[in-house]
């Protein structure tokens, strides 16, 4: 009878997976939300693997950022990660979605009702003023940026999250940055998270460098003496925490078995 009930009702864990226990966090992991800590992570590739979202939640919980941005994220994945963070690690986040694409092959769902795909911003505090902008030219697939206002380290900050066109499309990325940079420039204090699919020296990133600095103070275009830690499996720096009107006390790149991108976190000074 119990087996029949499981078949009919389904397991209670998120995503339909029956999970005995959550992964233990490593020594030195955060014990609660860390004020001023932000994180960016492109979570896809591999995409849609069973059990990956629990591993992703554990990696996020180890840092317990106050605010984090995910790219290449299906809404179902974000919902599952968010539920795991609360259920297994006691971390509660508000969420704003920046999905720009509905794609069955990416996110599943019914063929006539495919899942939504794009960015998400999650915050330990409430998010407001959500703006979603789809770039006029996305390149190989639709791309855009999401922006919200939330609290970081005790102060309101405008937070952006973006994913630019794939790495063989610099001209498309240049057009996308021409949309993003003026929006960032409207704010004295802003954090721009994202996968820019471009190394620091790429000409299309020049408008961002003119507005902001990376969370790693040593990371600048090589032409300006910069040395940047890589953030992908193919050892390129594609992921950024751009800070405008803010500085970072610390930063760390963490490689992951759950994505071909590393997570990048920063502890931000806001006062």
């Amino acid at each position: 009878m119990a087996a029949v009930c499981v078949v009919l009702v389904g397991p209670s864990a998120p995503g339909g997976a029956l999970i005995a226990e959550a992964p233990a966090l490593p020594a030195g992991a955060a014990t609660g939300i860390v004020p001023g800590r932000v994180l960016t992570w492109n979570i896809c590739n591999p995409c849609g693997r069973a059990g990956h979202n629990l591993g992703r939640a554990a990696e996020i919980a180890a840092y317990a950022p106050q605010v984090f941005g995910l790219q290449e994220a299906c809404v179902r994945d974000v919902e599952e990660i968010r539920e795991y963070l609360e259920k297994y690690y006691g971390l509660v986040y508000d969420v704003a979605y920046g999905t720009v694409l509905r794609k069955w092959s990416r996110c599943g769902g019914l063929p006539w009702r495919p899942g939504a795909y794009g960015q998400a911003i999650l915050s330990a505090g409430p998010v407001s003023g959500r703006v979603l902008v789809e770039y006029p030219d996305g390149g190989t697939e639709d791309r855009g940026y999401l922006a919200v206002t939330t609290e970081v380290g005790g102060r309101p900050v405008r937070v952006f999250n973006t994913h630019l066109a794939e790495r063989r499309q610099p001209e498309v990325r240049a057009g996308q940055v021409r949309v993003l940079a003026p929006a960032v420039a409207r704010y004295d204090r802003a954090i721009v998270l994202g996968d820019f699919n471009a190394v620091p020296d790429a000409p299309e990133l020049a408008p961002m460098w003119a507005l902001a600095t990376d969370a790693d103070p040593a990371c600048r275009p090589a032409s300006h003496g910069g040395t940047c830690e890589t953030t992908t499996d193919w050892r390129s720096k594609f992921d950024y925490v751009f800070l405008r009107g803010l500085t970072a006390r610390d930063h760390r790149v963490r490689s992951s078995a759950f994505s071909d991108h590393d997570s990048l976190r920063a502890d931000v000074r806001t006062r």
Side-chain angles (χ1 to χ4, degrees):
M1 180 63 71
V4 171
C5 288
V6 169
V7 171
L8 293 178
V9 178
S12 61
L18 188 61
I19 296 166
E21 60 184 41
L25 299 183
T31 57
I33 296 292
V34 180
R37 178 166 290 177
V38 299
L39 179 144
T40 185
W41 195 10
N42 181 321
I43 62 170
C44 200
N45 288 327
C47 308
R49 296 278 183 87
H52 270 43
N53 287 335
L54 183 59
R56 290 165 177 158
E59 293 196 8
I60 293 166
Y63 284 140
Q66 188 174 20
V67 177
F68 64 98
L70 302 176
Q71 304 89 42
E72 290 202 70
C74 296
V75 168
R76 289 185 182 90
D77 287 328
V78 177
E79 289 173 340
E80 198 166 79
I81 290 168
R82 187 179 176 215
E83 188 169 348
Y84 287 142
L85 285 167
E86 180 174 1
K87 181 174 182 179
Y88 293 115
Y89 302 107
L91 302 175
V92 179
Y93 290 97
D94 198 5
V95 63
Y97 291 103
T99 52
V100 293
L101 184 64
R102 300 193 72 83
K103 195 169 185 179
W104 179 83
S105 61
R106 283 276 194 181
C107 297
L110 300 172
W112 56 91
R113 192 182 177 187
Y117 173 81
Q119 287 80 248
I121 295 174
L122 294 95
S123 175
V127 297
S128 62
R130 174 186 174 274
V131 171
L132 173 61
V133 173
E134 185 173 339
Y135 296 126
D137 184 358
T140 53
E141 68 180 20
D142 298 344
R143 299 284 168 90
Y145 76 77
L146 169 68
V148 302
T149 297
T150 192
E151 183 179 295
V152 179
R155 299 186 68 180
V157 176
R158 194 67 171 169
V159 179
F160 294 78
N161 186 13
T162 193
H163 183 199
L164 300 190
E166 64 99 17
R167 61 184 182 272
R168 288 176 287 272
Q169 298 182 299
E171 297 85 2
V172 177
R173 290 196 302 275
Q176 293 170 347
V177 172
R178 285 194 292 270
V179 174
L180 174 64
V184 176
R186 297 188 190 108
Y187 296 90
D188 294 331
R189 289 196 313 277
I191 298 173
V192 187
L193 311 171
D195 173 6
F196 283 73
N197 270 320
V199 297
D201 272 334
E204 62 268 27
L205 292 193
M208 292 305 303
W209 290 115
L211 287 172
T213 58
D214 189 68
D216 177 358
C219 182
R220 299 180 296 275
S223 57
H224 292 78
T227 303
C228 303
E229 194 171 355
T230 61
T231 63
T232 67
D233 284 358
W234 51 96
R235 307 334 306 157
S236 295
K237 164 75 171 179
F238 279 0
D239 304 272
Y240 298 83
V241 175
F242 279 116
L243 302 175
R244 175 171 169 81
L246 304 164
T247 58
R249 301 190 308 273
D250 189 23
H251 75 283
R252 183 175 177 183
V253 175
R254 175 175 173 164
S255 61
S256 174
F258 303 108
S259 175
D260 58 358
H261 284 252
D262 306 328
S263 64
L264 170 60
R265 66 96 167 147
D267 292 335
V268 177
R269 294 187 182 95
T270 57
R271 297 184 186 279

